[in-house]
Amino acid sequence: MANSTLIQTVVPDEFRSRVMSIYMLDHGITPLATFIIGLFIAFWDPAWVFTVMAAASLFFTILQAVFFQSTRQLE
């Protein structure tokens, strides 16, 4: 809920509906991502797949922290 509120307060009025529709795409992409993760687990060891997913998440989190400094400055 806080992410939605933050997005709506930061985005200019004329782009708010477009940005929120892109934000809501995660609800449609989640089943696809779950399917792909399930396929990987079917072929490889689940511990390895989850380790790779965790490493990718950590990488993108660090990337965001470094390159999107304006996000940290939001109130």
Side-chain angles (χ1 to χ4, degrees):
M1 191 68 153
N3 288 339
S4 176
T5 303
L6 182 63
I7 290 171
Q8 290 183 25
T9 57
V10 172
V11 174
D13 291 340
E14 61 269 12
F15 298 118
R16 188 169 296 142
S17 62
R18 293 176 184 159
V19 170
M20 288 308 295
S21 67
I22 292 171
Y23 172 74
M24 295 304 286
L25 278 175
D26 72 333
H27 297 294
I29 294 174
T30 300
L32 177 63
T34 304
F35 174 72
I36 292 170
I37 292 168
L39 283 176
F40 286 148
I41 289 175
F43 294 108
W44 293 296
D45 180 43
W48 182 83
V49 173
F50 288 127
T51 302
V52 170
M53 288 174 30
S57 297
L58 180 62
F59 171 75
F60 286 118
T61 301
I62 292 171
L63 196 68
Q64 180 182 3
V66 171
F67 290 107
F68 296 102
Q69 295 176 359
S70 61
T71 305
R72 288 183 283 159
Q73 297 170 354
L74 295 174
E75 294 181 6

